[in-house]
Amino acid sequence: MYQPRQNPTRLDAKAILSDPLRNKGTAFTDEERDRLGLHGLLPSHVSTMDGQIERRIAVLRAFSTPFEKYAFLRDLQDTNETLFYALLARHRSELLPLVYTPTVGEACVRFSEIYRRARGLFLSYPLKGRLKQILADLPFDEVQVICATDGERILGLGDQGAGGMGIPIGKLSLYTDCAGIDPARTMPILLDTGTDNEALLGNPLYVGWRHRRVRGSEYDDFIEEFVEAVRERWPHAMLQWEDFAGPNAVSLLDRYRHRLPSFNDDIQGTAATALAAILAAERLAGIDLAERNILLFGAGAAGCGIAGLILGELERRGLSREGALDRLYAVDRDGLLIENVNVTTLNQALFARPQSEADDWLASGQAPSLIEAIQRAQPAVLIGTSGQFAAFDRPVVEAMAKHNDRPIILPLSNPAIRAEASAADVQAWSDGRAIIGTGSPSQGRDGTVTQVNNVYIFPGIGLGALVSGAQTITDAMFAEAAECLASLSLHDDGGALFPPTDRLAEVADTIALAVCHVAERDLGALAPLDGWEKAIARHRWAPAYRDLLPG
């Protein structure tokens, strides 16, 4: 029987081509092919990276649907990561909606369908008691940024189980593209504690743990074990909590934010992005937020996070805590939040209208609806984080426009099938007067509307935290990030609230610098002798092929 000879050079050559961080595809030079034993494993053509980018973008544009394009890009990322990021940097505005929102929503729903190669860690509940050993055995020594989810609240799509892994993969891709974090130092993690999605449990293609969600103390103990395993394996890594259900999102943030550098992007990142949009819109509208009311529709973790950051902004402007709270109105599924009437969480309690107002608000016997609250409070700003499609209908928008020359309307829920309104409808119903920001990419009557997406905030937060060595990621960092982003607004560019996405690397650097200064001021971080700017620049990874030749 024929026994193939084991040629060490050949084995190493196949390992190089199978490693997305070392593979160059057709860009390996003749010398590299000679010395690494690659001849015969590649076509004879030697390409440049520019040539590879031209070929890949042409192929991508030939696909007919965003999901097909997403699958193509994921395959490229898993085979040649350097080329993937070079392509993304070259065509960021075109590819960002494919790599992340809105296409990533469908990608999570169909994750099991397109799963091909291992990326990141799937830590399922049956592995409980073994997490430290599993992490210790993995060949990942330089991890700096971790993004973890349990897949229970994916965007506005709900429980996607193991399919939620698409979110950490996408988020970390943006850390690399925007903030220059070396992809070898990123780690997406799916904490698979089961799913209550009946369609997934009955789907023979589903790749996750086929079990209903673990909850209560069993869930808490599993997360505790995970955090301790991370602290032991990667003691200097930053952890981003992503797309956990509201109660877990809040409790995990409170429990762990001071035990390891961590934050919840759905709460804090969303809040900073929304505040930045409001600050930019405030200047466009020519108003003073301290003198106007603000209404939030959707009082879950994200909505309350936004309210909290706005509250801090109003207090910084000189309002008392009581005066600042008086400017905020929150409407949830049971109407306007009123103390001792329809409040279900501690976070909601802070922003509920006081009991002293109850009789006035409850004149009809029930809490006011969204439209009723707008008609009575006459807010200048309306923010949507409800996930309720088309909640900002024509009467709602017209009510906002009736009381404001330039109403600020931010339907932030995504994907688009969960958005409170489309930009085109808001423009039409407000006679073109509304200042609009949307959670997913959106087209208005006159072109693209500002996407108020967390990608403008979290890469800079992470980069600044890493460069400064901050052991705690503070609320002050997010407040400063919001101020920075608002200051970068290009109001001479069609009234855009944020810079265009092709400037996201610049945005990340600016926010990272602000975070470093906060860490220095509040946490005692020591600035390098040559300054924070140089330190940020040194930390950046660029998508360029490395020399793999020995010697």
Side-chain angles (χ1 to χ4, degrees):
M1 180 177 178
Y2 171 70
Q3 295 291 329
R5 296 168 56 190
Q6 297 298 309
N7 184 318
T9 301
R10 215 54 165 174
L11 290 174
D12 187 56
K14 294 183 71 174
I16 288 172
L17 294 177
S18 298
D19 183 349
L21 290 170
R22 293 190 293 168
N23 182 26
K24 302 181 185 181
T26 57
F28 282 107
T29 66
D30 283 329
E31 183 181 5
E32 287 174 321
R33 298 178 191 210
D34 284 338
R35 298 181 64 182
L36 297 174
L38 297 175
H39 285 298
L41 298 176
L42 294 166
S44 63
H45 172 68
V46 176
S47 180
T48 63
M49 179 177 280
D50 284 342
Q52 289 179 314
I53 290 174
E54 290 178 8
R55 185 181 300 115
R56 293 301 90 193
I57 196 66
V59 172
L60 180 134
R61 288 170 177 166
F63 289 109
S64 58
T65 69
F67 179 72
E68 290 173 328
K69 294 177 181 181
Y70 172 91
F72 172 79
L73 288 169
R74 283 285 297 108
D75 189 60
L76 177 61
Q77 186 179 20
D78 285 341
T79 54
N80 186 336
E81 202 147 7
T82 305
L83 179 57
F84 167 80
Y85 284 111
L87 181 70
L88 182 54
R90 185 80 57 89
H91 300 281
R92 182 180 293 125
S93 296
E94 178 182 354
L95 302 189
L96 199 63
L98 302 173
V99 172
Y100 202 61
T101 52
T103 311
V104 73
E106 183 178 1
C108 289
V109 173
R110 301 175 65 179
F111 183 85
S112 296
E113 176 185 332
I114 63 170
Y115 180 81
R116 293 183 180 88
R117 293 185 58 173
R119 174 170 289 271
L121 303 180
F122 291 83
L123 302 178
S124 61
Y125 186 78
L127 299 174
K128 188 176 183 297
R130 302 168 54 191
L131 299 188
K132 283 189 178 182
Q133 187 59 51
I134 290 171
L135 266 59
D137 290 343
L138 294 171
F140 306 116
D141 296 330
E142 299 181 345
V143 171
Q144 292 181 322
V145 181
I146 298 166
C147 185
T149 185
D150 67 357
E152 187 171 6
R153 193 210 63 83
I154 297 301
L155 302 175
L157 301 171
D159 189 345
Q160 297 302 320
M165 180 57 117
I167 297 295
I169 290 173
K171 289 279 188 177
L172 291 172
S173 297
L174 300 182
Y175 266 111
T176 296
D177 176 54
C178 303
I181 306 298
D182 186 338
R185 301 182 180 220
T186 66
M187 180 59 69
I189 296 179
L190 189 285
L191 298 168
D192 191 353
T193 56
T195 179
D196 290 332
N197 186 325
E198 295 290 350
L200 294 179
L201 291 172
N203 185 350
L205 298 180
Y206 181 55
V207 297
W209 181 44
R210 293 174 184 273
H211 194 282
R212 293 202 171 276
R213 283 194 173 273
V214 172
R215 300 194 183 277
S217 61
E218 291 181 318
Y219 177 88
D220 292 340
D221 291 346
F222 183 70
I223 299 297
E224 174 70 19
E225 181 185 346
F226 163 69
V227 169
E228 285 304 308
V230 166
R231 293 180 65 194
E232 183 171 314
R233 182 67 172 88
W234 301 301
H236 304 295
M238 183 198 75
L239 172 62
Q240 177 171 318
W241 302 100
E242 191 68 38
D243 283 357
F244 288 77
N248 287 333
V250 173
S251 65
L252 293 177
L253 176 62
D254 290 344
R255 189 180 309 151
Y256 295 114
R257 65 183 305 178
H258 298 296
R259 287 176 56 182
L260 76 169
S262 59
F263 69 96
N264 185 295
D265 190 47
D266 304 299
I267 299 174
Q268 297 160 288
T270 299
T273 311
L275 177 59
I278 294 168
L279 296 177
E282 172 191 29
R283 292 194 284 269
L284 275 176
I287 63 174
D288 182 351
L289 286 179
E291 300 174 352
R292 307 299 296 271
N293 292 334
I294 300 166
L295 193 150
L296 297 105
F297 181 61
C304 289
I306 293 171
L309 214 54
I310 294 173
L311 179 65
E313 172 65 22
L314 295 178
E315 289 180 305
R316 280 190 292 276
R317 296 189 183 195
L319 272 66
S320 66
R321 168 58 63 103
E322 184 180 27
L325 285 170
D326 193 51
R327 291 294 179 195
L328 297 174
Y329 294 76
V331 177
D332 207 54
R333 60 172 59 91
D334 294 322
L336 179 73
L337 293 183
I338 301 174
E339 188 180 21
N340 297 324
V341 173
N342 57 356
V343 173
T344 59
T345 70
L346 289 176
N347 283 339
Q348 289 181 349
L350 178 61
F351 304 107
R353 303 309 296 179
Q355 183 69 40
S356 59
E357 298 180 12
D359 290 342
D360 183 44
W361 283 110
L362 296 171
S364 64
Q366 59 185 13
S369 65
L370 172 61
I371 184 66
E372 291 170 334
I374 291 173
Q375 289 168 341
R376 296 181 61 180
Q378 299 182 14
V381 181
L382 174 62
I383 306 165
T385 58
S386 68
Q388 293 188 25
F389 178 70
F392 295 174
D393 57 15
R394 184 167 191 153
V396 164
V397 173
E398 289 180 343
M400 287 293 297
K402 178 180 179 181
H403 302 293
N404 298 280
D405 291 333
R406 301 294 310 277
I408 299 167
I409 301 178
L410 308 175
L412 300 183
S413 295
N414 57 52
I417 60 173
R418 299 293 183 184
E420 289 82 7
S422 71
D425 282 343
V426 173
Q427 284 184 331
W429 297 333
S430 67
D431 295 324
R433 293 186 285 118
I435 300 170
I436 309 166
T438 57
S440 290
S442 184
Q443 292 287 330
R445 294 184 302 176
D446 304 318
T448 302
V449 171
T450 301
Q451 184 184 8
V452 183
N453 190 282
N454 296 12
V455 68
Y456 281 97
I457 291 290
F458 71 79
I461 292 285
L463 178 59
L466 290 177
V467 171
S468 67
Q471 290 303 297
T472 302
I473 300 175
T474 66
D475 290 339
M477 293 176 180
F478 287 95
E480 288 293 328
E483 296 280 356
C484 280
L485 178 54
S487 72
L488 293 173
S489 304
L490 299 180
H491 290 162
D492 58 345
D493 184 24
L497 299 179
F498 295 162
T501 53
D502 59 11
R503 292 181 57 197
L504 278 171
E506 174 192 337
V507 171
D509 280 350
T510 302
I511 290 176
L513 180 60
V515 169
C516 288
H517 285 313
V518 173
E520 183 178 6
R521 181 193 71 201
D522 297 346
L523 304 177
L526 298 176
L529 294 177
D530 57 354
W532 291 118
E533 293 93 335
K534 294 284 182 65
I536 290 169
R538 282 195 300 272
H539 204 90
R540 274 192 165 274
W541 175 89
Y545 287 135
R546 272 51 173 180
D547 183 7
L548 299 181
L549 292 177

